[in-house]
Amino acid sequence: MTDGFLLRGPLIALRGQGVAVATAAHLLNRAGVSISHEPGKRHPVPVIMLSDPALSLLRDVSGRTDLFAEKPRIERRVVRWGAGEAVAMPHGAAVVSENDLADALAASLIGNNAHPSTITLLMTIHGMAPFPVSATQRFGERLSSTARVRLSSQADPATCWIESVVDGWLFLTPDGTGGAWLLAVGGTPEALASQAPMIAPLIETMEPASGTFDTSPRMLEQLAGDGWLALGTAALAFDPICGDGTAQAVREAILASAVITALSRGEDQAALITHYQSMLLAAMRRHLQLSLPFYGGAGSSPWWRAQYAASRAGYDWCTAHLATMPEPRFALHGFDLVRRERAA
């Protein structure tokens, strides 16, 4: 653990907003690291279904065992995928907004904000553009939009629904107020809902959809370099199909803060940068591997075939690049990064 470690003098500059930046700030603050923060602007996600494993990780980071205990719960997931029948299964998640997540850790972005002109800059953590390296790999073209809906009386407010259709897929998440958010991937909410025999009857009314946004998995080709790290969805984004995006943002922040504290102890910067790059590349590869069965088994329309091919090509790209990288020299021990021989 890095509790009690004090880094006096060097400064970490944080750029951006969101879960990854707020988590990194919290951990660096706890380690006594001086930070400055450039917030930038972004549109927060209106609703996040925070899985119990992700919630446990956030509680561990924040030290608050009751974090989001008061939020609405999702206890069941119903999935209708491809040609199969709808399948119900237990699920555990809290329904929160991205603002809720950021606010839970926001004090870290205020309480230890050093003035950059009075202290030596050690490293910059970029959570928003521009990045030092802008070349990006994209593993699909999945434009999405969301719409606020009023649920019908037959919709259980503690259940979420996922359904594939001919031209994309839908994710309906109740928000605990009698309403829900409908995420449509591949088309407009109205168009995809018209193709959805499971989800359509659960919707009583639908408000106009938001503008489109990108939910394709993607990552900067370089996520770290001399004096900088990149994190958050602007740098590396998961497809929402696996529901692991928030947990991934927290894991990135844990790794980034661990790299900073290891660097301050005198560990080799080049080795730490390589480790950071390889761990995030491996995370994207695992994500694409988990996504492949969804895109391969949902349908045979041109949209599904194109997205499967892009996911497969992305998996192969990650595999090829990982093969050129050395074996990891570090391992996480709690929130600290140590050499593997010492962690064994």
Side-chain angles (χ1 to χ4, degrees), residues 177-220:
T177 68
W181 286 93
L182 181 65
L183 170 67
V185 180
T188 67
E190 296 86 355
L192 296 191
S194 71
Q195 303 174 15
M198 180 180 72
I199 284 180
L202 303 173
I203 298 172
E204 184 175 288
T205 60
M206 183 185 303
E207 296 180 8
S210 66
T212 58
F213 54 93
D214 189 5
T215 51
S216 59
R218 59 200 182 276
M219 65 182 293
L220 296 174

Side-chain angles (χ1 to χ4, degrees), residues 186-314:
T188 67
E190 296 86 355
L192 296 191
S194 71
Q195 303 174 15
M198 180 180 72
I199 284 180
L202 303 173
I203 298 172
E204 184 175 288
T205 60
M206 183 185 303
E207 296 180 8
S210 66
T212 58
F213 54 93
D214 189 5
T215 51
S216 59
R218 59 200 182 276
M219 65 182 293
L220 296 174
E221 291 186 3
Q222 186 176 342
L223 289 156
D226 185 16
W228 65 274
L229 304 172
L231 49 61
T233 55
L236 183 151
F238 279 5
D239 187 315
I241 205 164
C242 290
D244 195 39
T246 301
Q248 174 60 25
V250 176
R251 289 192 293 265
E252 289 172 30
I254 291 171
L255 182 59
S257 64
V259 165
I260 298 299
T261 53
L263 179 62
S264 71
R265 292 197 308 268
E267 292 286 359
D268 180 65
Q269 179 177 226
L272 290 167
I273 287 171
T274 298
H275 181 80
Y276 186 82
Q277 175 78 19
S278 64
M279 290 299 99
L280 296 193
L281 185 60
M284 177 58 78
R285 182 178 180 270
R286 286 192 300 271
H287 171 69
L288 293 171
Q289 184 178 30
L290 290 171
S291 300
L292 279 170
F294 292 103
Y295 284 99
S300 58
S301 71
W303 189 86
W304 285 106
R305 291 200 303 270
Q307 300 315 311
Y308 177 82
S311 295
R312 181 71 219 194

Side-chain angles (χ1 to χ4, degrees), residues 46-47 70-74 95-96 100 148-152 155-159 173-181 204 207:
V47 67
E70 80 287 359
K71 294 297 182 181
R73 294 280 303 172
I74 298 294
V95 179
V96 304
D100 291 332
R148 174 81 174 160
V149 305
R150 173 63 55 177
L151 294 173
S152 68
D156 175 14
T159 297
T173 308
D175 63 4
T177 68
W181 286 93
E204 184 175 288
E207 296 180 8

Side-chain angles (χ1 to χ4, degrees), residues 115-171:
H115 194 284
S117 65
T118 64
I119 202 164
T120 303
L121 180 64
L122 176 67
M123 185 167 281
T124 300
I125 298 177
H126 297 273
M128 66 178 182
F131 295 99
V133 175
S134 60
T136 301
Q137 283 289 323
R138 306 177 64 81
F139 310 122
E141 292 293 335
R142 296 165 204 166
L143 292 179
S144 307
S145 56
T146 58
R148 174 81 174 160
V149 305
R150 173 63 55 177
L151 294 173
S152 68
S153 59
Q154 63 182 294
D156 175 14
T159 297
C160 66
W161 296 266
I162 305 169
E163 184 171 14
S164 67
V165 296
V166 173
D167 297 318
W169 61 276
L170 295 163
F171 187 12

